[in-house]
Amino acid sequence: QLAGLAVIAFGLWLRFGGVMAEFASDKKPPEYFFIGLYVLVGTGALMSTVGFFGCCGAARESQFLLGAFFACLLVIFAAEVTAGVFAFIGKKVAIQEVQKIYEDIYDEYMKNPGKANRTIYHYHSALQCCGKGDTEQQTELPCPENIQVPKASNCLVEIQNVIDANLHLVGIVGIAIAGITIFGMIFSMVLCCAIHNTREMI
């Protein structure tokens, strides 16, 4: 239950807090990345629910509930492994998607520099970068005041770094939760067998 609540909190923090939250209200948010976070939050909610029924099964010494708890944990474990493989394979796609969004708003701004564009400023502010590495064009872009333009990073590189870091965190959390899930399955089977043996003795 606690692990599920931790996963929910972590997914919501990635979605509504941190760097990626800056892009959530824009016209072209990185949907591929956010869909993965919604799946993460949904998995956390499922884990909390299953954990509650597991507690009920242990308290009532119900073999049926403990068996159902084991089956649900097995499904969650399989889903976690599948999601991990999917995230690893889809990381490149997520990076390309966000980079494409930035390049589109960059080209749109360069065609009409006089038009106010909060989206490109959100990217620059969140990523602490400005432009695509061209110093001459950086002077025409809406860059945060605390960035020194000659030393400003390439935003395409920063996008890759940010998504890599966030997915790395998701991977660490996923591995930790998978470990907890395995222990949950082991303990549920041990308890179920203990209840069965006790009833046979009685």
Side-chain angles (χ1 to χ4, degrees), residues 79-90:
E80 287 170 349
V81 173
T82 303
V85 173
F86 178 74
F88 180 78
I89 296 174

Side-chain angles (χ1 to χ4, degrees), residues 56-130:
C56 292
R60 298 186 61 181
E61 297 186 352
S62 170
Q63 289 180 286
F64 174 77
L65 287 177
L66 288 173
F69 176 69
F70 175 86
C72 290
L73 285 184
L74 186 61
V75 171
I76 290 173
F77 179 75
E80 287 170 349
V81 173
T82 303
V85 173
F86 178 74
F88 180 78
I89 296 174
K91 180 176 70 172
K92 185 177 180 181
V93 177
I95 292 172
Q96 290 175 345
E97 179 190 7
V98 181
Q99 287 178 335
K100 178 65 167 58
I101 292 171
Y102 178 78
E103 288 181 326
D104 288 344
I105 61 175
Y106 177 91
D107 293 339
E108 181 183 344
Y109 183 86
M110 295 307 294
K111 289 178 183 178
N112 190 4
K115 183 180 178 181
N117 192 323
R118 294 181 59 191
T119 304
I120 194 169
Y121 182 80
H122 280 166
Y123 273 77
H124 291 164
S125 178
L127 298 169
Q128 289 297 294
C129 63
C130 189

Side-chain angles (χ1 to χ4, degrees), residues 40-61:
L40 189 67
V41 172
T43 301
L46 179 61
M47 288 180 63
S48 296
T49 305
V50 170
F52 173 76
F53 288 114
C55 289
C56 292
R60 298 186 61 181
E61 297 186 352

